[in-house]
Amino acid sequence: MLGGTQWLGGEVARAALAAGHHVTCLARGSTVPSGARMVRADRDDDQALAAVAGRRWDAVIDLATAHGHVRRAARDLAHADRYVFVSTASVYRDLSQAGITEDAPTYPPLDAHAMDSMEQYGAAKVSGERAVIAAFEPDRFAVVRPGLIGGPGDPSGRTTYWPLRFARPANGSVLVPAAELPTSVIDVRDLAAFLLALAEGTASGTFNAVGRSLPLSEHLRLARAAAGHDGPLLSAPDDWLIAHGVNQWAGPRSLPLWLHDAAALGLGAIDNSRALAAGLSLRPLADTLRDILAWAAASGIEAATGSGLTASEERELLAALTSSFPGASPPSWGK
């Protein structure tokens, strides 16, 4: 594994070890799952893979973002039997429409050696895909394009925010977006299992590894049910949220998963039929949300970090909302 010390990489390594594989993780980090061999290397170094390049590998799983890292790996590990590259659904040039397939147009590959900003993330991943495709025969590689990854341990806070907020609401009430839009989450454990299956098997090509598409209201309803919340809900329209400085999708002072930008509304409704046919198995979202709460309880975590509103921010917004709309009512799904 090129990686293995962070969230998704750790899940893949643990799944591979549990299946009886010998796992080597090459990364800059220092912590790998128990039983895996650690090779510490900085992939910015052109000779970073020297310690592993001379061995034969049944499979390589590469989680790199920097396309220069992927080019070097494809060069130095081209003798591997299988190569699985973890790309992203952000490679698609137009995410405004539902039903995007693997054949949809992508961004041009990034020519620069490294990204200047996250706005180039999709183009950098396209460059990585091209490097893999150029180095391996069609039956020896798989490119996987995940959408939103979630589940226990989510370091971004995007999928932990809602179950934890419903479990510990500010003053009993929860602020939710009024807008209806599609959303999808793939459980990190399901994605890890799919990556391992591709490394072990013969399915090749490019795959959209995304979760089932559900309305945001259904996601929130399931999160609320998982947390056992029966307190008040107040829904706010998009324009009001934007005017009050609430951010979309992720990050500080956001309502995670909520999108107002029409250019990204298809992100929650990408076609995953090719991945399902290749063996992707998806657990129910309700199970993922319940497992997030169990993980948080076991870890002593009371609120999501990385994304969402703080309790004080939510209280301020709830007060402002009831002042703006004295008759504000809960969404129909929360009544």
Side-chain angles (χ1 to χ4, degrees):
M1 287 194 58
L2 301 176
T5 61
Q6 302 298 317
W7 184 44
L8 173 59
E11 289 289 344
V12 178
R14 281 187 287 273
L17 289 164
H21 295 291
H22 298 286
V23 178
T24 294
C25 298
L26 184 142
R28 282 184 291 195
S30 58
T31 303
V32 296
S34 177
R37 174 191 175 215
M38 176 72 196
V39 175
R40 191 171 291 117
D42 183 346
R43 292 182 68 186
D44 287 339
D45 182 350
D46 189 61
Q47 297 302 312
L49 276 68
V52 297
R55 296 187 58 185
R56 175 188 165 273
W57 300 98
D58 297 312
V60 174
I61 299 177
D62 189 354
L63 293 93
T65 295
H67 48 291
H69 295 178
V70 185
R71 290 193 190 108
R72 293 188 196 106
R75 176 196 69 193
D76 294 345
L77 300 173
H79 55 285
D81 291 350
R82 299 274 293 166
Y83 199 99
V84 179
F85 176 57
V86 182
S87 184
T88 173
S90 296
V91 299
Y92 294 115
R93 195 164 53 204
D94 182 2
L95 283 169
S96 64
Q97 304 297 319
I100 295 168
T101 69
E102 291 84 352
D103 301 319
T106 64
Y107 286 106
L110 183 64
D111 292 329
H113 176 71
M115 296 190 303
D116 293 325
S117 70
M118 283 305 294
E119 292 180 356
Q120 297 176 320
Y121 175 60
K125 284 289 194 178
V126 172
S127 294
E129 293 184 4
R130 299 283 179 88
V132 172
I133 292 169
F136 293 89
E137 291 86 359
D139 61 347
R140 292 176 54 217
F141 76 86
V143 169
V144 180
R145 295 171 176 167
L148 174 60
I149 307 169
D154 178 1
S156 76
R158 291 176 296 185
T159 63
T160 58
Y161 174 81
W162 288 110
L164 287 170
R165 178 43 49 89
F166 282 121
R168 297 173 179 83
N171 296 339
S173 300
V174 176
L175 176 68
V176 298
E180 189 62 286
L181 60 137
T183 188
S184 70
V185 173
I186 183 166
D187 191 294
V188 64
R189 297 162 294 182
D190 295 338
L191 177 56
F194 183 54
L195 295 173
L196 179 58
L198 290 172
E200 294 172 326
T202 59
S204 299
T206 302
F207 304 95
N208 288 333
V210 301
R212 297 180 185 87
S213 182
L214 296 172
L216 178 58
S217 61
E218 178 65 5
H219 184 113
L220 299 182
R221 186 190 69 77
L222 291 170
R224 188 183 190 215
H229 178 265
D230 58 4
L233 300 176
L234 286 179
S235 61
D238 284 7
D239 291 345
W240 188 93
L241 290 170
I242 292 169
H244 285 77
V246 179
N247 295 315
Q248 304 175 60
W249 186 243
R253 198 177 169 81
S254 69
L255 284 180
L257 311 189
W258 164 62
L259 283 169
H260 176 67
D261 184 358
L265 292 181
L267 186 60
I270 293 173
D271 186 296
N272 64 359
S273 56
R274 188 183 295 180
L276 292 173
L280 174 63
S281 179
L282 300 171
R283 72 192 69 204
L285 177 61
D287 291 355
T288 298
L289 296 169
R290 282 194 295 267
D291 289 349
I292 287 172
L293 290 171
W295 158 79
S299 305
I301 295 171
E302 296 188 355
T305 57
S307 293
L309 302 172
T310 65
S312 61
E313 288 171 342
E314 184 173 39
R315 282 192 291 267
E316 291 173 3
L317 288 165
L318 286 167
L321 182 64
T322 54
S323 176
S324 301
F325 303 102
S329 60
S332 59
W333 57 266
K335 293 179 181 177

